[in-house]
Amino acid sequence: MGAASGLTWQCLRDLRPAELTEAADGWRAASAFADAARERVDGDMSGRLTRTQDSESARSAVKRLRRLSENYHCIHTETGLIRGTLAGLADELAAPQRTLRTALADAASLGYTVNDNGSVDYPAGGRNELTGDTLPGGSVTGDNGLIGAGNPGLYYDADGMYDPARAPGTPTLKNPNPHCAKAQDIADRIAHALREAHEIDERYSSALNKLKAAPGLTVDSRTWADIASDADAVSGAAREYLGKEIPFEESPADRKEWWDHLSKEQREEYVSAFPGLIGNLDGIPAPVRDEANRENLQMLIGKLEGRHDEASRDMLGGLKGIQERLEKGSEFPIYLLGIGDEGNGRAIIAYGNPDTADNVSAYVPGLDTKLDADFAGGTVNRALHTARGAYHADQFSSTSSIVWLGYDAPQMTPSDLASGRSVMFTNDAEAGAPAYNAFMAGISATNEGTPHITAIGHSYGSLTVGLAAQEKGGIPGADDIILVGSPGTGADNAQDLNMGEGHVFVGAADNDIVTKLPNHNEASGMLSGAAGGGSAGFVLGMGMAGPPGAVVGGGAGAVAGGIGSYMAQDAQTDPSEHWFGTDPASKDFKATRFAVDDGATVLEDRGKMTAHSNYFDPAKDQESADNIARIVAGKPGKITEEVPR
């Protein structure tokens, strides 16, 4: 229908968007059939064989059934993309068609003729002021939309004749024939409608041309990489349709209301055609986000399989680790509430349904966390430990424990340090705080009751939570805040976090050096002392033992100088003042400090910082894990407290 195929106003006028919608419905039915077939293969056939048969032939049959399931999965996804493309095309073409039909109706009512090329003929009318004669009729062409191109229909001499000398840049006179301006308006609207329809047609034609399946029945990583590319193309083509239909700029509560008012068919369309958007949209119910994100997870894995850079390999390890967790399951139902390859990766995983849970916690990890194998195999376990602990703390209430990696935590890499995105700066936390608050607002919007909500921040993640709490209105829905291994929150005291007294809890192991980061003055003293001590040691060592002695002396001098300057500066500064504000574990911060195991020192740990990582793990710090779980379960009166620093 594009310009290359001869788009005319007659074609646009006679277009029937309803036929495109009917075609979309047909593809919807095909998508639904494929999805139902996949569920039947996985459940009634493959699942039953796995449960009841244990033989080589049964295992072989299950393997073939899984391949069939993948075929149905692929068909379901691709047909869903076609359906979404056709629905968007029909919706967007309706607007220029309305514009065109209105213009044609206006031309007919005025007795004007619309020519095949879109120009408009108008009759004689008005009087020539010099001769008194009736001004002649004429023809005008719609504005072609090119800046500086001009429009011959606008430039006439006093007799109503077109004068090229009156083109842009020269004084112009409007044609005094009253029909001319009206005809010009109609011609411009016709031209505008055709240009808009052409742009829409080109955009969607490009996306539809990509939706071609490779021959054969093999569904592998290349197949899913191609589907991921198709999904990106469809989302790109439908950007205006989606921007108009989906309330991206509204609150999560508004999005929940929008979703609730959609028909079953409309919801299916959004999930199947735009899983990456719906799965990561705060305010959409958890089961829907989970369904969309599991679809998107498969596409992201296929997309990254073909890449060989280190960042892609790391992220692929994280995605596959999450996929394994989802397939394996747990005693608590797992919900994939967010997944993406932006920045260092995005992943939001819940143990327990946050829409129905009595208690909901959302934990923000910190320094060096990214979507990789360590995240999938280790960090996610912290949410699972909390879910188990909350169940033991109160078996009569349900809990959803979430790990939220919805931002880029600082990394201990040279590139991050060079770019100013290190753990010593607030950049990442400032970017993450609004996103965390949006997610928490979505939790409140989709939960069917009034849950007890706990915000948890660990390490640098406690700064992110702290800054989120200091935004206007605080963290949406939060009843309690837990800070563990915190270098500070950017706040002077707990009241700055917009929580009532007794609702901010802090865990800080005495051997966790992150909770004892120096303040800016102390750090400055350490650096200057290390530089001075290193220089002096280098000179003395050179004089006594030559170059080897200079190296040893310089290193020893730097250490001694740094420690000495830190101690001198520390004696002059407030002991509760940390790098990111007041130490949350200090009495000046006025939070409730709960007991934790002190852990091993860095020296005892051979340079590791396990005291900074044990808070959630009952096998390594039972007391801390239990206290966190009790707070999450709404039982803060049962925690064991510790005296603030």
Side-chain angles (χ1 to χ4, degrees), residues 43-61:
D44 296 345
M45 300 170 69
S46 178
R48 182 172 298 177
L49 266 177
T50 302
R51 290 191 302 270
T52 61
Q53 302 294 321
D54 185 17
S55 65
E56 188 61 36
S57 60
R59 284 189 288 272
S60 178

Side-chain angles (χ1 to χ4, degrees), residues 486-494 506 508 514-522 566 569-591 593 644-645:
S486 177
T489 63
D492 292 330
N493 55 65
V506 177
V514 174
T515 70
K516 297 182 178 181
L517 284 179
N519 59 46
H520 291 263
N521 290 330
E522 293 167 343
Y566 167 75
Q569 193 68 55
D570 183 52
Q572 302 177 44
T573 57
D574 185 345
S576 67
E577 185 181 345
H578 272 16
W579 187 264
F580 294 125
T582 305
D583 174 10
S586 70
K587 62 179 183 296
D588 292 339
F589 196 76
K590 298 180 181 178
R593 186 182 182 191
R645 291 172 178 165

Side-chain angles (χ1 to χ4, degrees), residues 80-101:
L81 291 174
I82 296 173
R83 173 199 179 190
T85 306
L86 291 175
L89 177 61
D91 181 88
E92 287 198 47
L93 283 176
Q97 185 184 59
R98 285 193 298 269
T99 299
L100 172 68
R101 286 181 172 178

